[in-house]
Amino acid sequence: MKILVTGGAGFIGSAVIRHIIENTQDSVINLDKLTYAGNLESLEGVANSNRYSFEQVDICDSAELKRVFAEHQPDAIMHLAAESHVDRSIDGPAAFIETNIVGTYTLLEAARAYWNGLAKDGKENKKANFRFHHISTDEVYGDLEGPEDLFTEETSYNPSSPYSASKASSDHLVRAWLRTYGFPTIITNCSNNYGPYHFPEKLIPLVILNALEGKDLPIYGKGNQIRDWLYVEDHARALYKVVTEGLVGETYNIGGHNEKQNIQVVQTICELLEELVPANKNSKASGSSQGFEGLITYVKDRPGHDIRYAIDATKIEKELNWTPQETFESGMKKTVKWYLNNSKWATRVQDGSYQRERLGEK
């Protein structure tokens, strides 16, 4: 197969591309606008493969999308390009509306035109096997009420933030294109991802890097918000399963079976760092008698903060035979070790040099 991955220079997108190039014989076209969250350095290990190509294209640019489809003739699309940081969506929702809603619409229309043209070119079989896989989030469902409740594929949408509302809208567009035009779509909704190459504005890499610098570890509210944590490489395996084996028109929820309060996540990171780089031997973090945990600070909660998300992943487990390989403990240890061993990548993201060099600046 030849798979077009949008947002392939992002956190999850780059994991998907690495998985495909390293574990399959398929080819990948990485289509990414390269916003602040897009980092081609996350793909250095596979960028020289003759099965990998890169197109710097905005999914809102219909003319460029038409060119990419014509030149590369993909067999499937995995649509991950999105603005995804909740805090940023609260401060500036416009970019989320533009990319997540207008961008998804523009991509759907470009893909549908390409798909319709396949039969005219005598490629009926290619048209029949074509798939548009839209990757979304569990945040579209909003809050869970009871402590035993889980998000299923039938859970009603109730988004709380501009980010989750824009993703919910994009999900609805994808389903409408299936129903109205017969366009072959599949949707997945995942829980919180973590792992290597995670942009440092997100909770887990932020805490790791702040702790190593001896900086405060900020926790919203009381830190009692619960998330289901999914190791990004497990997610990449699941997404490939869906695009190759999933049924058109279906939705699959993907979760890690790892419900943790935010404060528990931060405490776990602190414990792992004490084991791997004890605070009393780390000059930057040695100011606290409590070690890394002494750096934890509680800050004002963000508006509309959902309390608990948890995924029921029974469907994908039964129908596509996927289960996560990593426990929270094993995945977190791998993640912390990765950041310890890849300080150059993290530093270049933090100081912005990964972007400046790309733009020809110093």
Side-chain angles (χ1 to χ4, degrees):
M1 286 175 58
K2 187 181 286 187
I3 303 172
L4 175 67
V5 178
T6 72
F11 171 46
I12 301 174
S14 64
V16 168
I17 292 176
R18 292 192 301 270
H19 174 77
I20 294 172
I21 297 298
E22 293 170 356
N23 298 286
T24 80
Q25 294 303 308
D26 295 336
S27 299
V28 175
I29 308 103
N30 174 11
L31 188 148
D32 200 296
K33 181 182 178 182
L34 293 182
T35 64
Y36 77 95
N39 188 352
L40 292 176
E41 294 177 17
S42 303
L43 292 160
E44 285 182 347
V46 299
N48 291 327
S49 169
N50 60 10
R51 293 182 289 115
Y52 171 84
S53 58
F54 172 67
E55 292 278 2
Q56 185 172 352
V57 170
D58 184 345
I59 58 170
C60 294
D61 188 336
S62 58
E64 276 293 276
L65 289 176
K66 182 178 180 180
R67 176 190 63 80
V68 168
F69 280 111
E71 287 185 15
H72 293 279
Q73 298 281 304
D75 300 297
I77 299 171
M78 300 178 77
H79 176 35
L80 294 105
E83 294 284 348
S84 65
H85 191 49
V86 174
D87 287 357
R88 285 178 182 261
S89 82
I90 293 170
D91 294 337
F96 290 74
I97 304 305
E98 181 69 15
T99 297
N100 299 354
I101 302 177
V102 177
T104 297
Y105 157 74
T106 307
L107 181 66
L108 280 166
E109 280 296 83
R112 184 169 71 92
Y114 163 73
W115 174 70
N116 280 329
L118 291 174
K120 296 174 185 176
D121 294 338
K123 299 175 181 177
E124 288 84 358
N125 192 51
K126 191 178 177 81
K127 181 178 182 182
N129 292 324
F130 185 83
R131 299 289 181 270
F132 184 104
H133 177 191
H134 176 65
I135 289 86
S136 189
T137 172
D138 61 356
E139 296 195 37
V140 298
Y141 300 126
D143 250 342
L144 285 166
E145 294 185 6
E148 304 300 321
D149 291 347
L150 297 170
F151 296 136
T152 73
E153 289 78 5
E154 284 74 42
T155 299
S156 297
Y157 278 28
N158 189 26
S160 304
S161 69
Y163 160 60
S164 57
S166 68
K167 288 298 289 185
S169 179
S170 68
D171 291 10
H172 291 320
L173 288 173
V174 171
R175 290 194 177 95
W177 260 241
L178 168 73
R179 178 145 185 186
T180 301
Y181 303 111
F183 187 55
T185 65
I186 307 172
I187 295 176
T188 51
N189 298 84
C190 70
S191 57
N192 280 39
N193 280 223
Y194 69 100
Y197 301 102
H198 203 175
F199 197 81
E201 69 185 354
K202 299 299 179 83
L203 175 66
I204 288 175
L206 178 69
V207 168
I208 295 170
L209 297 172
N210 274 15
L212 292 172
E213 289 292 316
K215 297 178 180 177
D216 287 348
L217 309 181
I219 307 295
Y220 279 130
K222 298 178 180 178
N224 60 346
Q225 303 88 357
I226 296 172
R227 300 293 182 263
D228 176 12
W229 292 95
L230 173 66
Y231 192 62
V232 70
E233 292 176 11
D234 279 332
H235 189 200
R237 287 190 307 105
L239 294 178
Y240 184 75
K241 274 264 189 186
V242 170
V243 79
T244 55
E245 301 176 28
L247 299 178
V248 168
E250 293 295 327
T251 298
Y252 300 91
N253 279 355
I254 307 170
H257 304 299
N258 292 308
E259 285 187 59
K260 300 290 179 182
Q261 290 185 338
N262 285 348
I263 185 61
Q264 292 175 308
V265 172
V266 176
Q267 289 168 340
T268 298
I269 293 169
C270 291
E271 290 166 7
L272 285 166
L273 288 173
E274 288 292 352
E275 174 189 333
L276 298 167
V277 283
N280 62 3
K281 294 182 180 179
N282 181 331
S283 59
K284 292 180 180 178
S286 59
S288 169
S289 60
Q290 299 172 289
F292 288 109
E293 282 202 32
L295 299 171
I296 293 174
T297 60
Y298 295 91
V299 299
K300 183 180 178 182
D301 209 352
R302 71 182 178 207
H305 203 168
D306 292 329
I307 293 298
R308 176 173 171 261
Y309 303 150
I311 287 269
D312 181 350
T314 302
K315 180 176 177 177
I316 191 172
E317 292 170 3
K318 287 186 175 179
E319 297 185 8
L320 300 183
N321 194 31
W322 172 88
T323 54
Q325 293 178 353
E326 300 294 341
T327 64
F328 181 75
E329 291 71 26
S330 68
M332 281 298 300
K333 192 160 194 175
K334 285 185 176 182
T335 302
V336 171
K337 283 184 174 180
W338 187 88
Y339 279 94
L340 292 175
N341 293 329
N342 292 273
S343 57
K344 181 182 176 182
W345 180 93
T347 298
R348 286 176 56 77
V349 173
Q350 288 175 304
D351 67 18
S353 57
Y354 78 107
Q355 270 193 313
R356 289 196 300 273
E357 290 180 18
R358 188 175 75 215
L359 298 170
E361 303 170 4
K362 291 183 179 181

